[in-house]
Amino acid sequence: MTGMSSASTALRKRAAYGTATADGGKPSRRPTRRYRESLVGYAFLTPTLILLGVFVLLPLVGAVVISLQKTNGFGAGTFTGLENYARLVRDPVFWRSTLNTALFTAIVTPVSMLLGLGVAVLLNSVLPARGLFRSILIVPMAISGVATALIGTLVFDQNNGVLDKMLRSLGLPAIQWQSGSTAAFVSVVLVTLWWRVGFNMLIYLAGLQGINPYLYEAARLDGANGWQQFRYLTVPMVGPSSFFLLIMNVIYSFQVFDIVFVMTGGGPQNATSVLVTYAYDNGFVTRDQGYAAAIGVVLLLATMTFTAVRWRSSRNRDPVE
Amino acid sequence: MATGFSDRFTPAAWAAVQNAKKPYGVPHHTDTSVIVYNKAAFAAAGITSVPTTLDTAWTWDEFDQVAKKLRAALPAEKYPLAVNWQGNGVTRWLSWLFEADGRFLAEDLKTPAIDSAAGRAAVDFTKSFFTSKYVPQNNSVKSTTLASDTWYSQTAAMTFAGAFFVPDATKTLSFEWGATFSPRKVRSAGDFGGNALVATAGTKNPDLAAKFLDFMTQADSMRDFCAGASLLPTRRDLVASGINFKVRPELSPVFIGQASSVQPRDSGQVASPSMSKIITVLKDQLESAFVGGQSTDATIKSISAGIAAAVA
C-alpha cells in the first residue's frame, strides 16, 4: 500500500515538474526522463527500504536506546547514560569474549576462503564426479547452524563422540574436546569450517566460471606454469569474489552464535565465549538487557568499521578484464 | 480467594509463589530430583540394596562409599555419577547446600549467607566428584552435555532426575533402572521445580480467573494432571495420600517423599526476584571450582560477593 501511494505521489510530482520546465521554454527532455527514471527507481526501492527500516534500522535504534538503560526487559528501564559501556571496559569476560571472537574470525576467515578457493579450482577442472563433490560440499549450507552444531556434538562428545572413540580404538589418547579450553575452541572452529567451506566454494566457483578461458590460453602461450596461472591469473580475477567473501566471512564470524551456543555454551570457563553468546547470556539468563544491548552495539560498530576500512582500501572489488 | 485457600498447599509450595510477602499465583505442580540408577552397573559393583525411605537415604559419607565402589568396578571411560546441574539447572547444586543445612540468602532474602561451614562443605563435597573422577569432566555446570544423556548412554551408573523424565526414560532405555532418595547430610533436601498459575492483576474478570485457579488446584484436577504428566502435586492432602504415576507408578513414593523434604525456607530463597543474576554467579563460580581448580575458599567468597551485587 505504502509503496503504491508513494509511486502515485511521485507521478503527481513528475507532472508538476514537466509543466514547469515546459513553461520555461527550454528543451526539457533529458532532465525529465532522468527524473522519471530515478522516481521509478525509488518506487522499486520503496518496499525494500520499508522492510529494512522496520526490521533493521528501527531495532538498531531500539538497541542503542536500550544500551543506555538498566533494564531486565520487563517494564520501563532506568536511563543510566554510558554506565553499561563503562562496565564493558572493566569486564574481563567481555574482553575474553572479544579476544575469542577476533581469534575465531582471524582463523576461520582465511582458512575457509583458502579451502573454498582450493576446492573450487579442483571442482572447476575436469575432475570425475565433480557434480557429486560439489553437492556434498554445498549440503552443509542447506542445514541449519543448530543442526550442524548438534552433529558436531555427536562427533566431539568426549565420552561418546565418534572422534574420541576412533582415537581410543587406535590406541591414542582421547582429546578432552569439551573440558579442555584449547580443544573446545578447535572443535568449534572445525565444525564452522565444515559448515562454511561449501559457501566459499560456491561463490568462488561462480567467480571462476566468469573468467575468460582465452586469458589462460594467452598465459600458457606466454609460458606460465600451473602455479603461475593460479597465482597471477586466477587469484586476481576472483578478486571481487574474495572481497565479497572476506566481508561475509568476517561478518558471519563476528556474529557466530548457534555453533558455539549448542556445542560448548561458551565454556569451559569462557574459553569459547564469543560476543554474541556473551550478549545472549547477559540478555536472557542474567536478564541484564541493557548490558546485552551495549555488547550488541559494540559488535555493530566493529563490523561497520571493518567493512568501511575494507571498502575504502580494496582495489580489486570491481576489476575489469 | 477465600480465606484459608492457601492451606491446601504444602508450605514449601506456597512459599515459592510469594513476592514481597504477597502471593502472585498458585503453585500448580512441582518436581524434584532423586537418584536414578542403572541396576546392572550397581549389581556389578556389589551394591545390592538402595534406601527405600527418606529417613534411611544415604548420608553423604555413604553416598561417597557407593561412588567409590562404582569407581573401582567401572572402566576408566565410565563414571559412577552424572549430576543434573547444567545450564539454569545450576540451582540444583543448592540442594547440597540445603542438605548441609546452609542458606545462600539470609532470612531477609537480601543478604548473602553462603559464607558458612555448610557452604564450604557443599563446595568441597561437589568439587570432590571431579577430583575423584566420580563424574566425567564434561559434567560441569556450563557443559552442553546434559547429565541425563550421559546416563542414557550408560557412561554414568547413576544420575539425578526429576519425575518428568520417567516416561521418556521408560520408553527410551533398554536397560533396567530404579530410583532412590537423594543423599542427606544434616537433613534431606531437594530442588523445587514446577510452575505456578497466575492471573494478571488487571484482568477484566477477576472472579472467573480466581474460580479457574481454584478449579485447577482441586484435588481431582491436580491428581489427574500430575499422574498423567509425571509431575508432583503441591497439595498437602495429595502429598499425604500419594499419587500413582501412569508410567512406573511404583516410583511415585520416591519422588513424592523427596519433594516432602523441600522446606519453605529453601524454596523461598530460590523464588528471590534476583535469582536470574544469582544463577549467573553460581554458574561462573562453580564452573571455576569444578574444572578450573578454584579453591573452595575463593569460590565461597566470590559467590558471596556475587550474590551481594545481584540483590543490591
Side-chain angles (χ1 to χ4, degrees):
Chain A
M1 281 300 283
T2 324
M4 281 173 66
S5 70
S6 43
S8 59
T9 316
L11 285 171
R12 278 199 303 278
K13 279 186 185 162
R14 180 177 55 79
Y17 183 79
T19 319
T21 47
D23 287 348
K26 290 175 190 162
S28 60
R29 247 180 104 80
R30 274 177 62 103
T32 311
R33 203 169 82 188
R34 192 178 296 164
Y35 188 67
R36 187 192 301 164
E37 264 179 19
S38 59
L39 282 178
V40 171
Y42 280 118
F44 277 118
L45 270 177
T46 308
T48 312
L49 287 178
I50 289 170
L51 286 174
L52 270 176
V54 173
F55 293 108
V56 178
L57 296 178
L58 221 60
L60 220 142
V61 174
V64 173
V65 172
I66 292 172
S67 78
L68 303 174
Q69 298 177 4
K70 183 179 163 64
T71 171
N72 63 5
F74 299 115
T78 7
F79 266 92
T80 53
L82 294 173
E83 168 61 25
N84 285 326
Y85 294 93
R87 266 175 69 199
L88 278 182
V89 178
R90 301 188 303 263
D91 178 358
V93 185
F94 167 73
W95 288 113
R96 178 77 198 259
S97 307
T98 307
L99 195 72
N100 284 343
T101 310
L103 189 66
F104 178 84
T105 307
I107 297 172
V108 166
T109 302
V111 176
S112 57
M113 284 175 69
L114 276 175
L115 288 175
L117 181 59
V119 176
V121 169
L122 275 180
L123 294 183
N124 197 37
S125 63
V126 284
L127 196 75
R130 59 182 178 170
L132 178 73
F133 286 121
R134 279 181 193 172
S135 312
I136 289 175
L137 279 159
I138 292 166
V139 162
M141 275 177 67
I143 304 173
S144 86
V146 172
T148 306
L150 283 171
I151 297 169
T153 59
L154 293 179
V155 175
F156 289 102
D157 185 303
Q158 65 188 46
N159 300 318
N160 304 299
V162 181
L163 207 56
D164 271 359
K165 278 191 174 164
M166 258 167 57
L167 289 173
R168 283 197 200 99
S169 68
L170 293 171
L172 296 167
I175 295 172
Q176 306 289 299
W177 295 111
Q178 293 172 289
S179 54
S181 302
T182 313
F185 197 86
V186 170
S187 75
V188 170
V189 166
L190 288 176
V191 171
T192 308
L193 286 176
W194 179 75
W195 193 36
R196 215 182 278 171
V197 165
F199 170 70
N200 282 266
M201 180 210 69
L202 191 71
I203 301 295
Y204 271 131
L205 207 54
L208 286 174
Q209 292 181 350
I211 303 176
N212 192 333
Y214 292 133
L215 288 173
Y216 287 101
E217 196 181 327
R220 275 195 298 275
L221 284 173
D222 288 341
N225 61 26
W227 167 250
Q228 285 168 328
Q229 288 176 41
F230 175 76
R231 173 66 189 84
Y232 298 107
L233 196 52
T234 309
V235 172
M237 289 312 290
V238 292
S241 306
S242 297
F243 176 71
F244 171 74
L245 283 173
L246 183 69
I247 302 280
M248 293 316 286
N249 278 306
V250 168
I251 291 176
Y252 284 157
S253 302
F254 275 0
Q255 294 181 345
V256 61
F257 175 74
D258 38 16
I259 292 198
V260 175
F261 185 74
V262 174
M263 282 188 67
T264 64
Q269 293 189 82
N270 302 319
T272 57
S273 175
V274 287
L275 284 172
V276 187
T277 55
Y278 190 49
Y280 174 88
D281 280 345
N282 276 293
F284 299 102
V285 180
T286 317
R287 296 214 68 89
D288 194 349
Q289 298 211 329
Y291 195 56
I295 298 171
V297 171
V298 168
L299 190 65
L300 172 79
L301 291 178
T303 314
M304 280 174 57
T305 310
F306 170 80
T307 311
V309 167
R310 187 67 193 132
W311 183 262
R312 288 186 74 89
S313 64
S314 173
R315 280 178 292 120
N316 61 349
R317 60 175 188 256
D318 290 314
V320 280
E321 277 182 24
Chain B
M1 289 292 172
T3 22
F5 172 76
S6 64
D7 294 344
R8 71 174 65 166
F9 301 109
T10 62
W14 192 243
V17 293
Q18 308 297 313
N19 186 13
K21 300 198 171 157
K22 275 176 72 183
Y24 61 83
V26 297
H28 180 240
H29 62 263
T30 177
D31 202 355
T32 198
S33 301
V34 304
I35 295 173
V36 291
Y37 63 95
N38 183 321
K39 286 188 174 173
F42 266 41
I47 303 155
T48 46
S49 70
V50 298
T52 50
T53 63
L54 187 63
D55 299 335
T56 57
W58 286 318
T59 62
W60 280 11
D61 288 340
E62 288 165 342
F63 180 72
D64 187 61
Q65 288 305 313
V66 167
K68 199 172 271 170
K69 266 190 190 174
L70 284 162
R71 180 64 282 166
L74 290 165
E77 70 273 14
K78 306 246 181 220
Y79 296 83
L81 177 67
V83 191
N84 59 345
W85 49 32
Q86 286 76 34
N88 285 0
V90 72
T91 50
R92 293 178 186 135
W93 176 82
L94 296 169
S95 299
W96 303 92
L97 177 70
F98 299 150
E99 284 156 18
D101 213 21
R103 305 181 61 104
F104 64 100
L105 286 173
E107 280 181 27
D108 62 0
L109 299 183
K110 289 199 162 79
T111 322
I114 198 163
D115 197 345
S116 62
R120 278 158 217 275
V123 173
D124 266 338
F125 191 49
T126 47
K127 241 171 89 104
S128 78
F129 298 167
F130 289 86
T131 48
S132 309
K133 298 202 179 334
Y134 289 169
V135 295
Q137 293 297 304
N138 67 348
N139 187 228
S140 186
V141 291
K142 281 199 179 180
S143 177
T144 48
T145 303
L146 297 178
S148 54
D149 289 338
T150 306
W151 186 70
Y152 271 32
S153 63
Q154 305 193 43
T155 300
M158 56 178 163
T159 188
F160 289 85
F164 74 93
F165 124 129
V166 170
D168 183 62
T170 307
K171 205 170 79 183
T172 312
L173 299 179
S174 54
F175 59 86
E176 279 196 50
W177 58 278
T180 183
F181 299 90
S182 291
R184 66 199 156 98
K185 190 171 165 70
V186 180
R187 61 178 171 99
S188 276
D191 54 313
F192 190 82
N195 282 301
L197 279 177
V198 297
T200 49
T203 177
K204 276 187 194 158
N205 209 334
D207 291 341
L208 189 63
K211 263 189 195 160
F212 180 69
L213 297 184
D214 175 49
F215 167 75
M216 289 299 285
T217 52
Q218 292 289 342
D220 285 344
S221 314
M222 192 180 285
R223 188 186 300 110
D224 288 351
F225 176 82
C226 290
S230 197
L231 289 165
L232 307 177
T234 53
R235 287 180 64 100
R236 287 168 194 257
D237 51 357
L238 292 182
V239 170
S241 66
I243 63 166
N244 281 314
F245 295 152
K246 285 216 172 92
V247 181
R248 303 272 317 247
E250 82 282 6
L251 298 180
S252 324
V254 179
F255 287 97
I256 292 180
Q258 191 71 54
S260 74
S261 72
V262 178
Q263 312 238 341
R265 61 174 192 252
D266 305 342
S267 58
Q269 292 172 67
V270 180
S272 153
S274 308
M275 206 55 211
S276 57
K277 284 186 180 155
I278 295 175
I279 280 176
T280 302
V281 173
L282 288 173
K283 268 189 188 171
D284 287 343
Q285 297 309 322
L286 291 174
E287 172 94 347
S288 292
F290 293 163
V291 290
Q294 180 172 268
S295 73
T296 298
D297 199 45
T299 306
I300 287 288
K301 290 224 150 52
S302 302
I303 296 179
S304 195
I307 291 177
V311 292

